[in-house]
Amino acid sequence: MAGVTFNHVSKDFGDTRVVSDLNIDVEDKEFLVFVGPSGCGKSTSLRMLAGLEEITEGEIMIGDRVVNNVAPKDRDVAMVFQSYALYPHMTVYDNMAFGLKLRRTPRKVIDERVTEAANELGIGHLLDRRPRQLSGGQRQRVAVGRAIVREPAVFLMDEPLSNLDAKLRVEARSFISRLHQRLETTFIYVTHDQVEAMTMGTRICVLNEGELQQIDSPFNLYHNPHNVFVAGFIGSPSMNFFDATLKENNGSLVVDLGAFSLDVPENKADSYRSHVGMDVVCGIRPEDIHDTNYLPQGIIPANLTTNVEVVEQMGNEVIIYLENGGRNFIARTDPRTAASVGHEMGVTFNLDNIHIFDATTEESLAYESKRKAVA
């Protein structure tokens, strides 16, 4: 078992830098998820760790060993690809055993490992079949089984669920999380799906355009995003953003959005005072905008009358597209709401959960204030 370290790692393709100065310490037995939009550098980072891409700058360590110049087969990692990469002419048994045979592992050990892994994955009855005879979910388990039998120090998974339908993806997420708990091995997982990231990762590494935006627990990414990108990427529907100005009124702070204003709770005011009179970006998640008739307890309310433009009935909740004074935003409300397209609706913002960002740097003012205090 081993941890992984990215130490000032960069990767160029020609004149294009796709990963820039990546610094990450992955703890032993951790489940770290790389997440971000297509082209952000997450798969490239994983491939550099596996030895499938050369590093332009920096170094990667697995345990206490620098592996920059170590061949992929000698890095003690096992990788599960998006395409599964199974040999179509081989049986499930032979696909799972292939890597061990190349390493001249004794036949008895191969039999024991393949049988144990197949039974653990629920595919023990499929060992004589070929990939074309399997469902997508079964193929995915074979690919995972092929990695398990190698007993590597680190498991690498590059969007392994993207070829599955929605129902199978939910089942597979749970299966991989349980597998991590049983094996107690370091997992590094790549996905563009923030729901996968939030439900599976011990920590999540958010990348954008090759740069690390934030690495944190799922809870902190959601509640304390460091910048506008992280705030907008994590959560579905995405956070609502409003261009605004931060003002002071009789000692209290107010976020002036033009069409309406929001009071800043006293417990947040100290983090924002340095930006009084400046342009900011105010963010609030759809789930913090409620139908005024169905309010949860313990919120700091700000009421607003809006126009309903679209209503999406989801069964357990209602997604409502709203407008006020030319400002459009989304609410995620109680399913009992009576919202109707073309009619007015009273909504309540939970001021305790508003986020304010610097309009120029797009960095969270709360995070900026905390960072300066530490410095």
Side-chain angles (χ1 to χ4, degrees):
M1 309 305 172
V4 172
T5 302
F6 289 81
N7 187 17
H8 296 287
V9 173
S10 297
K11 174 63 179 178
D12 298 338
F13 287 115
D15 295 330
T16 303
R17 175 145 290 191
V18 294
V19 175
S20 180
D21 196 30
L22 190 61
N23 290 281
I24 300 173
D25 288 317
V26 187
E27 297 178 5
D28 183 26
K29 302 180 183 179
E30 184 174 12
F31 196 131
L32 182 78
V33 179
F34 282 98
V35 69
S38 296
C40 71
K42 54 188 185 295
S43 290
T44 300
S45 299
L46 199 72
R47 290 174 64 83
M48 285 191 289
L49 174 56
L52 303 178
E53 295 285 356
E54 291 186 3
I55 301 168
T56 303
E57 296 175 7
E59 64 179 21
I60 293 178
M61 300 178 67
I62 299 176
D64 297 326
R65 180 174 64 151
V66 176
V67 296
N68 289 33
N69 299 315
V70 177
K73 66 182 179 63
D74 297 323
R75 294 194 179 197
D76 201 13
V77 301
M79 191 162 181
V80 180
F81 296 91
Q82 177 180 346
S83 63
Y84 311 141
L86 302 178
Y87 295 105
H89 63 286
M90 291 185 181
T91 63
V92 168
Y93 178 96
D94 288 333
N95 266 283
M96 292 177 65
F98 185 71
L100 296 178
K101 290 179 180 178
L102 289 181
R103 288 167 175 75
R104 301 183 184 278
T105 305
R107 178 74 185 195
K108 182 180 179 181
V109 175
I110 293 176
D111 284 339
E112 290 175 352
R113 289 191 188 179
V114 170
T115 301
E116 181 181 0
N119 290 334
E120 186 174 68
L121 298 172
I123 54 175
H125 61 295
L126 303 175
L127 290 176
D128 293 331
R129 296 190 187 181
R130 287 179 168 75
R132 66 176 180 274
Q133 299 172 297
L134 306 178
S135 68
Q138 290 168 337
R139 292 178 189 177
Q140 182 251 340
R141 293 188 180 217
V142 175
V144 172
R146 181 176 55 191
I148 289 175
V149 298
R150 290 182 54 188
E151 299 183 354
V154 182
F155 281 95
L156 309 179
M157 297 190 174
D158 189 7
E159 303 202 42
L161 310 185
S162 59
N163 293 331
L164 303 181
D165 60 39
K167 183 174 184 296
L168 276 177
R169 286 179 76 124
V170 173
E171 294 175 356
R173 285 204 311 260
S174 175
F175 153 70
I176 291 176
S177 294
R178 291 196 304 270
L179 184 66
H180 171 252
Q181 293 167 12
R182 288 202 301 271
L183 297 179
E184 295 186 330
T185 306
T186 306
F187 275 50
I188 301 180
Y189 188 100
V190 163
T191 181
H192 65 276
D193 185 335
Q194 54 98 7
V195 175
E196 276 185 25
M198 293 290 283
T199 55
M200 299 174 72
T202 309
R203 285 192 303 161
I204 301 171
C205 173
V206 183
L207 294 175
N208 186 38
E209 296 182 350
E211 296 188 357
L212 176 62
Q213 302 295 308
Q214 185 172 348
I215 180 167
D216 222 323
S217 67
F219 181 90
N220 281 333
L221 283 178
Y222 180 87
H223 292 282
N224 303 300
H226 288 179
N227 57 41
V228 168
F229 177 81
V230 175
F233 191 82
I234 299 297
S236 181
S238 180
M239 182 181 286
N240 298 292
F241 295 108
F242 305 93
D243 292 330
T245 304
L246 194 61
K247 297 182 177 180
E248 190 165 14
N249 183 15
N250 296 324
S252 299
L253 294 188
V254 176
V255 184
D256 184 358
L257 290 84
F260 55 93
S261 297
L262 301 173
D263 295 329
V264 176
E266 290 185 8
N267 64 338
K268 295 178 178 286
D270 289 344
S271 298
Y272 303 151
R273 288 195 185 280
S274 62
H275 279 64
V276 169
M278 300 174 63
D279 292 337
V280 295
V281 176
C282 179
I284 186 165
R285 296 196 182 278
E287 47 269 39
D288 288 315
I289 303 176
H290 307 277
D291 183 332
T292 302
N293 295 313
Y294 301 101
L295 297 182
Q297 295 182 346
I299 71 171
I300 302 177
N303 297 326
L304 190 68
T305 300
T306 64
N307 301 308
V308 179
E309 297 189 332
V310 176
V311 177
E312 295 179 348
Q313 294 284 349
M314 307 296 289
N316 64 321
E317 63 188 9
V318 180
I319 308 298
I320 309 173
Y321 292 74
L322 302 165
E323 182 273 338
N324 175 285
R327 300 275 191 166
N328 296 96
F329 50 96
I330 300 173
R332 187 176 183 178
T333 69
D334 189 288
R336 295 171 292 178
T337 183
S340 178
V341 174
H343 292 76
E344 289 188 343
M345 174 184 177
V347 299
T348 300
F349 286 44
N350 181 6
L351 297 180
D352 197 39
N353 289 338
I354 61 171
H355 301 263
I356 301 179
F357 306 89
D358 186 295
T360 302
T361 66
E362 296 191 345
E363 190 171 275
S364 165
L365 298 192
Y367 171 63
E368 183 182 76
S369 175
K370 184 183 296 185
R371 189 176 60 182
K372 287 180 179 178
V374 172

